[in-house]
Amino acid sequence: MQIAIVGLTGSGKTTVFNTLTRGHAETGGYGGVTMNVGVVKVPDERLDRLAEIFKPKKIVHADVTYVDLPAPPPSTEGHVGTEELPAEHLARLRDSDALLHVVRAFDDPSHPHAEGSVDPARDLERLDLEFILADLSMADRRIERLSTSGRHGTQAERESNEREERILRRLKEALEAGSPIRDVELEPEDEKQIRGFRFLSQKPVLVLLNVGENDLPAAPALVSNIAGSYRHDKALIDALSARIEMELGELEPDEAAVFMEELGIAESGLDRVIGLSYRLLGLVSFLTAGPDEVRAWPIVDGSSAVDAAGVIHTDLARGFIRAETVAYEDLLELGSMAEAKKAGRLRSEGKTYRVRDGDVIEILFSK
Ligand SMILES: Nc1nc2c(ncn2[C@@H]2O[C@H](COP(=O)(O)OP(=O)(O)OP(=O)(O)O)[C@@H](O)[C@H]2O)c(=O)[nH]1
Ligand SMILES: [Mg+2]
């Protein structure tokens, strides 16, 4: 799972990246051009509790890859800024499963905003527009192609092309009206047909308002203000102070706890961001536990037991017999697999069982 950190120049992308990854990439580049890539473990206390029961050799968290990308150059007549990003950056952006859009909401006289004022709603729309223009340009090129050479080929090919063109024309209409593709309702078949384009405005987005260190108490009001006018599908809005989070990340855990109490912060904003990213992607975790490892596995909510088996290994899906399943809470309450079984809480589930968040699963399979 990969999330692209995007935003206008100087919005705090690299600061957010550093705090998420506990990294030290250079910030304050003023239009930096480097890309940073880092892997972050998804915090999950359940793994620690399970480790107390199973005493495994290792604990493996689910992880998310974050990519910190430079801001795209602004589009001008005849130029789509995003398409002018280096190919490697653009590929990373397109390959990402979701966007983390960092928007500047902090005021800092020593770093004046290029536009002369801090206006998160304006900046949010500005970058959205860049991605809408990039998608529009791609859709236009493909429609042009389909309406010429797409008329040839076998009947099946022609029908497929016509269908694709119909979908793209719908998307084009929405994009021209300023709507991101995530707002367009698509049948699963249509969605499948356009998946290959990896449209940017189709990706789920977490908008992160980067507020000043003194503005944290006002952050919830800012979030609801922005949320009120930002009515899009597959979009979440949250706020944090990247500066504070970065400082918190550099402290020992007990010092950080004291600092958080002083600031009146209940939880680390970053844990929340990681959790929200997970939710945004529609992911839940199932767990496996044994003497070797205790592990969390990300899976799309709604997946079946056989899908879960396949996440672990394709052999497990192929030879699937059943999934011995116990809810994490039950296991914790009863203290062991054996006790869970005695109490009738260990269930034998078949292929089509819908896996729930926190299910502790053992897959039985034939080789
Ligand atoms: N006061 C304050 N400054 C911040 C905050 N977050 C970032 N900054 C500063 O703003 C400047 C830009 O931050 P970066 O994280 O480099 O921003 P960026 O979006 O990666 O910038 P580019 O990659 O150059 O587009 C740096 O000098 C940061 O220290 C914040 O929450 N408060
Ligand atoms: Mg940067």
Side-chain angles (χ1 to χ4, degrees), residues 8-15 17 25-36 68-71:
L8 296 184
T9 301
S11 58
K13 300 180 293 296
T14 305
T15 308
F17 173 83
E26 194 180 340
T27 58
Y30 306 102
V33 290
T34 47
M35 174 173 79
N36 302 297
D68 169 30
L69 292 156

Side-chain angles (χ1 to χ4, degrees), residues 7-16 26-33 68-71 104 106-108 111 210-213 240-244 246:
L8 296 184
T9 301
S11 58
K13 300 180 293 296
T14 305
T15 308
V16 168
E26 194 180 340
T27 58
Y30 306 102
V33 290
D68 169 30
L69 292 156
R104 173 164 176 177
F106 64 89
D107 200 2
D108 185 346
H111 301 120
N210 183 13
V211 300
E213 39 279 44
L240 54 59
S241 164
R243 187 52 83 68
I244 286 185
M246 193 163 81

Side-chain angles (χ1 to χ4, degrees), residues 61-362:
H61 288 79
D63 59 38
V64 183
T65 301
Y66 286 93
V67 185
D68 169 30
L69 292 156
S75 297
T76 51
E77 191 64 42
H79 288 274
V80 176
T82 305
E83 293 186 335
E84 291 172 5
L85 283 170
E88 189 198 357
H89 295 187
L90 194 52
R92 277 283 189 172
L93 180 57
R94 292 212 179 281
D95 281 344
S96 295
D97 302 295
L99 308 176
L100 177 58
H101 183 165
V102 180
V103 181
R104 173 164 176 177
F106 64 89
D107 200 2
D108 185 346
S110 62
H111 301 120
H113 192 295
E115 297 287 325
S117 63
V118 175
D119 182 346
R122 172 201 63 203
D123 289 0
L124 175 55
E125 235 174 75
R126 178 90 31 103
L127 188 76
D128 276 359
L129 180 62
E130 287 297 344
F131 288 172
I132 284 172
L133 290 174
D135 286 349
L136 187 57
S137 147
M138 188 133 105
D140 272 338
R141 278 199 303 272
R142 182 64 185 161
I143 290 170
E144 166 80 33
R145 190 87 173 277
L146 286 169
S147 57
T148 51
S149 57
R151 305 272 190 262
H152 309 303
T154 64
Q155 187 175 352
E157 281 163 359
R158 285 202 312 272
E159 277 171 12
S160 164
N161 287 344
E162 276 165 25
R163 185 192 168 97
E164 186 181 333
E165 190 178 330
R166 252 197 329 271
I167 306 168
L168 288 173
R169 285 196 186 279
R170 264 186 73 202
L171 300 186
K172 178 179 159 80
E173 201 179 314
L175 291 164
E176 281 175 339
S179 298
I181 294 177
R182 63 180 82 86
D183 286 358
V184 180
E185 221 169 292
L186 292 170
E187 298 295 325
E189 274 302 298
D190 295 350
E191 140 84 62
K192 213 158 143 191
Q193 185 139 12
I194 61 154
R195 197 170 291 163
F197 291 103
R198 301 171 300 162
F199 286 118
L200 302 177
S201 73
Q202 191 181 13
K203 298 183 192 297
V205 63
L206 172 56
V207 175
L208 195 58
L209 304 166
N210 183 13
V211 300
E213 39 279 44
N214 301 321
D215 300 334
L216 272 177
L222 179 63
V223 169
S224 54
N225 178 9
I226 299 276
S229 55
Y230 198 72
R231 303 211 165 274
H232 296 295
D233 288 340
K234 290 186 269 170
L236 298 174
I237 302 182
D238 196 8
L240 54 59
S241 164
R243 187 52 83 68
I244 286 185
E245 296 296 337
M246 193 163 81
E247 286 172 14
L248 279 173
E250 286 162 1
L251 298 174
E252 295 300 324
D254 48 336
E255 289 172 343
V258 173
F259 187 35
M260 277 167 71
E261 206 177 323
E262 278 170 15
L263 291 166
I265 313 177
E267 58 170 342
S268 142
L270 289 171
D271 288 356
R272 210 173 59 235
V273 166
I274 296 170
L276 283 174
S277 312
Y278 222 61
R279 204 178 92 202
L280 186 66
L281 290 164
L283 298 174
V284 295
S285 294
F286 73 92
L287 312 168
T288 53
D292 284 333
E293 67 174 24
V294 160
R295 179 164 182 168
W297 303 82
I299 195 168
V300 174
D301 193 13
S303 299
S304 65
V306 73
D307 294 330
V311 169
I312 301 174
H313 200 287
T314 46
D315 287 352
L316 268 62
R318 210 175 301 123
F320 184 95
I321 299 171
R322 61 179 193 272
E324 299 282 329
T325 306
V326 57
Y328 163 77
E329 284 80 11
D330 288 348
L331 178 56
L332 203 68
E333 182 192 324
L334 295 159
S336 73
M337 282 297 207
E339 288 301 321
K341 190 165 186 174
K342 254 193 250 164
R345 305 274 187 85
L346 186 68
R347 294 167 274 126
S348 272
E349 302 288 3
K351 279 187 179 176
T352 56
Y353 168 70
R354 179 180 168 162
V355 173
R356 280 178 260 169
D357 186 52
D359 277 348
V360 182
I361 295 183
E362 184 183 358

